[in-house]
Amino acid sequence: MQRNRPPSSSRRGGSPNGLSSARPVAQKRHVIGISEAVVYRGDCVLITHALGSCIAVCLFDRDRRISGLLHFLLPDSKTSPDQAKKNPYMFGDTGIVYLIDRMVRAGASRSAIRAKVVGGASVLGIPIKIKIGKRNFMTAKKVLWAQRIAIEAQEVGGSISRTVALSCPSGTVKISTPSIAPRTL
Amino acid sequence: MPEIQPIIKAAKALNAPSQLVLKGLQVLSSPSHERIDLVNLIKTDPQGTAALLKLANSAQYNRSNRSISTVDRAVGFLGEAEIMQALLLPAIHSLQERDLSAYGFKEEDFASFSHHLGLAAQVTAKLYGTVDPGLAYTAGLLADIGKLVLASFMQTDQPDVVEQLGKKAFYVLETESVGLSHIQVGVMLAQHWKLPQLLQDAIAYHHHPSLAPAESAELARIVHIGDMVAQLTSPLSLIDTLGYPFDTALEDKTPTEHELEQIIAGVHQLLYTPKEENT
């Protein structure tokens, strides 16, 4: 697993997929925090908690068994170029590009990468001029489109907090919210 | 109509913060206070001194590894918001030693969320320059204090509550469910502990700053914006997250999108980036 490495230092991440065993083996689980990204090769579950206006970008190349998850906070790195320089994963415009680059360096095929996108919520009755969740989602959509990566599924908007679990490398995404039935993308 | 007397009784039974903390809040709420007033107060208390030195020497604030051993030096090193953090956060930690699972809080979550809210209010205050950032941090830290009491009475797994999550403001669901909201209980606690009027008002109006008295309206607005930022970006998955209507009566005092993003970035820096020594 690689966590928040810049593309230049990208290396093969994750553990090799073991041979099948008589007993079921629990999948490895990795938790990704705010403004973090992880690239993983093989079987695992990547989890990120409590997405409010933030976005989780779940990427996966099923054939090459390489997956990645980014939890970004803000849409545009121009908001704080200094912080973007230190941590590009804080912003959608820089974080998604870095994540894709890392996956490709780890062996993924750019044309085979698919995406699922979750988050971008708002507080109830938010004034029309505050659209941070929507802006985050629009940035994810725009950057993925520019990178020619298709969004297979999404659950965005509304006024609920979402925790995401990406099963790798199948790309199945489970979403949970307190007191609401879990969903699968 | 739900029975509210047990809630009032529980609020009165909740231990008040230490005299040092209460005196610190009085000093901070006085418009004419100076930093030396806080220094002199902290010097009178060994526990307060220890908490302040611990914070000043933590990796977050002191990356040079040069030991800071006096209150004067620590206070020069930290801002007023950090001084109040050193005094108040331990008090909040000791108060959260109860079952708060009705709100989805686990272990340290209440203090973590309150700290996040406080920092967001602090950054907002700095951005607008209208309120002392230390006072804004403190008001944010205390804004949800009523939940400490209400958690024992709320049954958030009840179908009538679950059905309305994400549709109604959570403080409305509190009132419908147990007869009082965390805002009202927070004000009870603030009055019981004799907190300064400014802080009582910040707790009372942090969801409706447009209704606050003129002298506390700006502080209430700053805490309101801080609460929204914490709701949007906290890494905690709580039952009432985002069940938070913005006070649309604020109209032109609503932050712009650019301001909101600046605040979110500023809070992230405070929470996740170690500071360089600035002495």
PDB file of all heavy atoms in Angstrom, chain A residues 100-121:
ATOM      1  N   ILE A 100      -4.364   9.084 -10.038  1.00  0.00           N
ATOM      2  CA  ILE A 100      -4.368   8.323 -11.298  1.00  0.00           C
ATOM      3  C   ILE A 100      -2.926   8.022 -11.715  1.00  0.00           C
ATOM      4  O   ILE A 100      -2.601   6.891 -12.103  1.00  0.00           O
ATOM      5  CB  ILE A 100      -5.103   9.117 -12.406  1.00  0.00           C
ATOM      6  CG1 ILE A 100      -6.590   9.238 -12.063  1.00  0.00           C
ATOM      7  CG2 ILE A 100      -4.920   8.443 -13.772  1.00  0.00           C
ATOM      8  CD1 ILE A 100      -7.333  10.256 -12.912  1.00  0.00           C
ATOM      9  N   ASP A 101      -2.079   9.033 -11.611  1.00  0.00           N
ATOM     10  CA  ASP A 101      -0.678   8.851 -11.992  1.00  0.00           C
ATOM     11  C   ASP A 101      -0.014   7.747 -11.163  1.00  0.00           C
ATOM     12  O   ASP A 101       0.718   6.901 -11.691  1.00  0.00           O
ATOM     13  CB  ASP A 101       0.062  10.189 -11.823  1.00  0.00           C
ATOM     14  CG  ASP A 101       1.377  10.196 -12.561  1.00  0.00           C
ATOM     15  OD1 ASP A 101       1.463   9.528 -13.605  1.00  0.00           O
ATOM     16  OD2 ASP A 101       2.324  10.839 -12.081  1.00  0.00           O
ATOM     17  N   ARG A 102      -0.307   7.744  -9.873  1.00  0.00           N
ATOM     18  CA  ARG A 102       0.264   6.701  -9.002  1.00  0.00           C
ATOM     19  C   ARG A 102      -0.232   5.318  -9.399  1.00  0.00           C
ATOM     20  O   ARG A 102       0.514   4.342  -9.380  1.00  0.00           O
ATOM     21  CB  ARG A 102      -0.127   6.965  -7.548  1.00  0.00           C
ATOM     22  CG  ARG A 102       0.807   7.938  -6.864  1.00  0.00           C
ATOM     23  CD  ARG A 102       0.281   8.314  -5.511  1.00  0.00           C
ATOM     24  NE  ARG A 102       0.099   7.185  -4.616  1.00  0.00           N
ATOM     25  CZ  ARG A 102      -0.491   7.278  -3.428  1.00  0.00           C
ATOM     26  NH1 ARG A 102      -0.935   8.433  -3.010  1.00  0.00           N
ATOM     27  NH2 ARG A 102      -0.612   6.216  -2.662  1.00  0.00           N
ATOM     28  N   MET A 103      -1.519   5.247  -9.726  1.00  0.00           N
ATOM     29  CA  MET A 103      -2.063   3.939 -10.117  1.00  0.00           C
ATOM     30  C   MET A 103      -1.405   3.449 -11.399  1.00  0.00           C
ATOM     31  O   MET A 103      -1.073   2.260 -11.527  1.00  0.00           O
ATOM     32  CB  MET A 103      -3.581   4.031 -10.286  1.00  0.00           C
ATOM     33  CG  MET A 103      -4.306   4.150  -8.950  1.00  0.00           C
ATOM     34  SD  MET A 103      -6.095   4.270  -9.128  1.00  0.00           S
ATOM     35  CE  MET A 103      -6.514   2.663  -9.798  1.00  0.00           C
ATOM     36  N   VAL A 104      -1.209   4.359 -12.349  1.00  0.00           N
ATOM     37  CA  VAL A 104      -0.575   3.968 -13.615  1.00  0.00           C
ATOM     38  C   VAL A 104       0.860   3.518 -13.355  1.00  0.00           C
ATOM     39  O   VAL A 104       1.316   2.506 -13.897  1.00  0.00           O
ATOM     40  CB  VAL A 104      -0.643   5.135 -14.623  1.00  0.00           C
ATOM     41  CG1 VAL A 104       0.204   4.847 -15.849  1.00  0.00           C
ATOM     42  CG2 VAL A 104      -2.098   5.397 -15.030  1.00  0.00           C
ATOM     43  N   ARG A 105       1.570   4.247 -12.512  1.00  0.00           N
ATOM     44  CA  ARG A 105       2.946   3.845 -12.179  1.00  0.00           C
ATOM     45  C   ARG A 105       2.981   2.500 -11.464  1.00  0.00           C
ATOM     46  O   ARG A 105       3.968   1.772 -11.527  1.00  0.00           O
ATOM     47  CB  ARG A 105       3.606   4.906 -11.299  1.00  0.00           C
ATOM     48  CG  ARG A 105       4.037   6.136 -12.069  1.00  0.00           C
ATOM     49  CD  ARG A 105       4.379   7.270 -11.120  1.00  0.00           C
ATOM     50  NE  ARG A 105       4.652   8.480 -11.856  1.00  0.00           N
ATOM     51  CZ  ARG A 105       5.868   8.861 -12.250  1.00  0.00           C
ATOM     52  NH1 ARG A 105       6.912   8.123 -11.958  1.00  0.00           N
ATOM     53  NH2 ARG A 105       6.032   9.969 -12.928  1.00  0.00           N
ATOM     54  N   ALA A 106       1.899   2.202 -10.743  1.00  0.00           N
ATOM     55  CA  ALA A 106       1.840   0.917 -10.037  1.00  0.00           C
ATOM     56  C   ALA A 106       1.436  -0.221 -10.967  1.00  0.00           C
ATOM     57  O   ALA A 106       1.388  -1.375 -10.545  1.00  0.00           O
ATOM     58  CB  ALA A 106       0.874   1.011  -8.864  1.00  0.00           C
ATOM     59  N   GLY A 107       1.090   0.115 -12.230  1.00  0.00           N
ATOM     60  CA  GLY A 107       0.794  -0.945 -13.194  1.00  0.00           C
ATOM     61  C   GLY A 107      -0.608  -0.914 -13.766  1.00  0.00           C
ATOM     62  O   GLY A 107      -0.961  -1.755 -14.598  1.00  0.00           O
ATOM     63  N   ALA A 108      -1.429   0.010 -13.324  1.00  0.00           N
ATOM     64  CA  ALA A 108      -2.794   0.088 -13.860  1.00  0.00           C
ATOM     65  C   ALA A 108      -2.753   0.633 -15.284  1.00  0.00           C
ATOM     66  O   ALA A 108      -1.845   1.387 -15.641  1.00  0.00           O
ATOM     67  CB  ALA A 108      -3.649   0.992 -12.990  1.00  0.00           C
ATOM     68  N   SER A 109      -3.754   0.243 -16.068  1.00  0.00           N
ATOM     69  CA  SER A 109      -3.880   0.802 -17.414  1.00  0.00           C
ATOM     70  C   SER A 109      -4.867   1.965 -17.342  1.00  0.00           C
ATOM     71  O   SER A 109      -6.006   1.792 -16.902  1.00  0.00           O
ATOM     72  CB  SER A 109      -4.404  -0.273 -18.367  1.00  0.00           C
ATOM     73  OG  SER A 109      -4.869   0.350 -19.534  1.00  0.00           O
ATOM     74  N   ARG A 110      -4.405   3.132 -17.773  1.00  0.00           N
ATOM     75  CA  ARG A 110      -5.257   4.325 -17.682  1.00  0.00           C
ATOM     76  C   ARG A 110      -6.629   4.080 -18.324  1.00  0.00           C
ATOM     77  O   ARG A 110      -7.657   4.480 -17.784  1.00  0.00           O
ATOM     78  CB  ARG A 110      -4.546   5.495 -18.367  1.00  0.00           C
ATOM     79  CG  ARG A 110      -5.224   6.825 -18.215  1.00  0.00           C
ATOM     80  CD  ARG A 110      -4.392   7.907 -18.851  1.00  0.00           C
ATOM     81  NE  ARG A 110      -3.197   8.184 -18.105  1.00  0.00           N
ATOM     82  CZ  ARG A 110      -3.104   9.155 -17.179  1.00  0.00           C
ATOM     83  NH1 ARG A 110      -4.139   9.904 -16.926  1.00  0.00           N
ATOM     84  NH2 ARG A 110      -1.973   9.348 -16.550  1.00  0.00           N
ATOM     85  N   SER A 111      -6.641   3.390 -19.451  1.00  0.00           N
ATOM     86  CA  SER A 111      -7.909   3.197 -20.164  1.00  0.00           C
ATOM     87  C   SER A 111      -8.829   2.198 -19.450  1.00  0.00           C
ATOM     88  O   SER A 111     -10.018   2.130 -19.751  1.00  0.00           O
ATOM     89  CB  SER A 111      -7.638   2.730 -21.599  1.00  0.00           C
ATOM     90  OG  SER A 111      -6.958   1.493 -21.556  1.00  0.00           O
ATOM     91  N   ALA A 112      -8.258   1.424 -18.522  1.00  0.00           N
ATOM     92  CA  ALA A 112      -9.091   0.429 -17.837  1.00  0.00           C
ATOM     93  C   ALA A 112      -9.582   0.912 -16.468  1.00  0.00           C
ATOM     94  O   ALA A 112     -10.383   0.244 -15.818  1.00  0.00           O
ATOM     95  CB  ALA A 112      -8.277  -0.860 -17.650  1.00  0.00           C
ATOM     96  N   ILE A 113      -9.088   2.060 -16.054  1.00  0.00           N
ATOM     97  CA  ILE A 113      -9.493   2.559 -14.722  1.00  0.00           C
ATOM     98  C   ILE A 113     -10.934   3.059 -14.777  1.00  0.00           C
ATOM     99  O   ILE A 113     -11.325   3.771 -15.699  1.00  0.00           O
ATOM    100  CB  ILE A 113      -8.547   3.696 -14.249  1.00  0.00           C
ATOM    101  CG1 ILE A 113      -7.121   3.171 -14.065  1.00  0.00           C
ATOM    102  CG2 ILE A 113      -9.049   4.298 -12.934  1.00  0.00           C
ATOM    103  CD1 ILE A 113      -6.093   4.264 -13.718  1.00  0.00           C
ATOM    104  N   ARG A 114     -11.714   2.662 -13.794  1.00  0.00           N
ATOM    105  CA  ARG A 114     -13.090   3.129 -13.652  1.00  0.00           C
ATOM    106  C   ARG A 114     -13.232   3.827 -12.305  1.00  0.00           C
ATOM    107  O   ARG A 114     -12.436   3.596 -11.402  1.00  0.00           O
ATOM    108  CB  ARG A 114     -14.076   1.950 -13.728  1.00  0.00           C
ATOM    109  CG  ARG A 114     -14.059   1.237 -15.072  1.00  0.00           C
ATOM    110  CD  ARG A 114     -14.659   2.109 -16.174  1.00  0.00           C
ATOM    111  NE  ARG A 114     -14.617   1.464 -17.482  1.00  0.00           N
ATOM    112  CZ  ARG A 114     -13.632   1.590 -18.359  1.00  0.00           C
ATOM    113  NH1 ARG A 114     -12.560   2.331 -18.058  1.00  0.00           N
ATOM    114  NH2 ARG A 114     -13.665   1.002 -19.525  1.00  0.00           N
ATOM    115  N   ALA A 115     -14.299   4.639 -12.171  1.00  0.00           N
ATOM    116  CA  ALA A 115     -14.453   5.436 -10.949  1.00  0.00           C
ATOM    117  C   ALA A 115     -15.846   5.294 -10.341  1.00  0.00           C
ATOM    118  O   ALA A 115     -16.826   5.063 -11.051  1.00  0.00           O
ATOM    119  CB  ALA A 115     -14.190   6.899 -11.273  1.00  0.00           C
ATOM    120  N   LYS A 116     -15.879   5.402  -9.032  1.00  0.00           N
ATOM    121  CA  LYS A 116     -17.144   5.609  -8.317  1.00  0.00           C
ATOM    122  C   LYS A 116     -16.914   6.796  -7.377  1.00  0.00           C
ATOM    123  O   LYS A 116     -15.823   6.912  -6.801  1.00  0.00           O
ATOM    124  CB  LYS A 116     -17.552   4.350  -7.551  1.00  0.00           C
ATOM    125  CG  LYS A 116     -17.931   3.216  -8.496  1.00  0.00           C
ATOM    126  CD  LYS A 116     -18.425   1.970  -7.793  1.00  0.00           C
ATOM    127  CE  LYS A 116     -18.761   0.904  -8.832  1.00  0.00           C
ATOM    128  NZ  LYS A 116     -19.190  -0.372  -8.206  1.00  0.00           N
ATOM    129  N   VAL A 117     -17.911   7.633  -7.257  1.00  0.00           N
ATOM    130  CA  VAL A 117     -17.735   8.900  -6.540  1.00  0.00           C
ATOM    131  C   VAL A 117     -18.832   9.041  -5.483  1.00  0.00           C
ATOM    132  O   VAL A 117     -20.011   8.815  -5.771  1.00  0.00           O
ATOM    133  CB  VAL A 117     -17.799  10.086  -7.530  1.00  0.00           C
ATOM    134  CG1 VAL A 117     -17.642  11.414  -6.794  1.00  0.00           C
ATOM    135  CG2 VAL A 117     -16.714   9.961  -8.594  1.00  0.00           C
ATOM    136  N   VAL A 118     -18.410   9.402  -4.272  1.00  0.00           N
ATOM    137  CA  VAL A 118     -19.360   9.499  -3.154  1.00  0.00           C
ATOM    138  C   VAL A 118     -19.073  10.761  -2.349  1.00  0.00           C
ATOM    139  O   VAL A 118     -17.906  11.134  -2.177  1.00  0.00           O
ATOM    140  CB  VAL A 118     -19.234   8.255  -2.225  1.00  0.00           C
ATOM    141  CG1 VAL A 118     -20.227   8.343  -1.070  1.00  0.00           C
ATOM    142  CG2 VAL A 118     -19.435   6.965  -3.005  1.00  0.00           C
ATOM    143  N   GLY A 119     -20.130  11.390  -1.823  1.00  0.00           N
ATOM    144  CA  GLY A 119     -19.958  12.529  -0.908  1.00  0.00           C
ATOM    145  C   GLY A 119     -20.614  13.787  -1.434  1.00  0.00           C
ATOM    146  O   GLY A 119     -21.678  13.737  -2.039  1.00  0.00           O
ATOM    147  N   GLY A 120     -19.992  14.933  -1.161  1.00  0.00           N
ATOM    148  CA  GLY A 120     -20.494  16.207  -1.679  1.00  0.00           C
ATOM    149  C   GLY A 120     -21.805  16.654  -1.058  1.00  0.00           C
ATOM    150  O   GLY A 120     -22.622  17.280  -1.721  1.00  0.00           O
ATOM    151  N   ALA A 121     -21.988  16.362   0.234  1.00  0.00           N
ATOM    152  CA  ALA A 121     -23.237  16.741   0.901  1.00  0.00           C
ATOM    153  C   ALA A 121     -23.210  18.204   1.334  1.00  0.00           C
ATOM    154  O   ALA A 121     -22.183  18.870   1.252  1.00  0.00           O
ATOM    155  CB  ALA A 121     -23.461  15.843   2.119  1.00  0.00           C
TER     156      ALA A 121
END
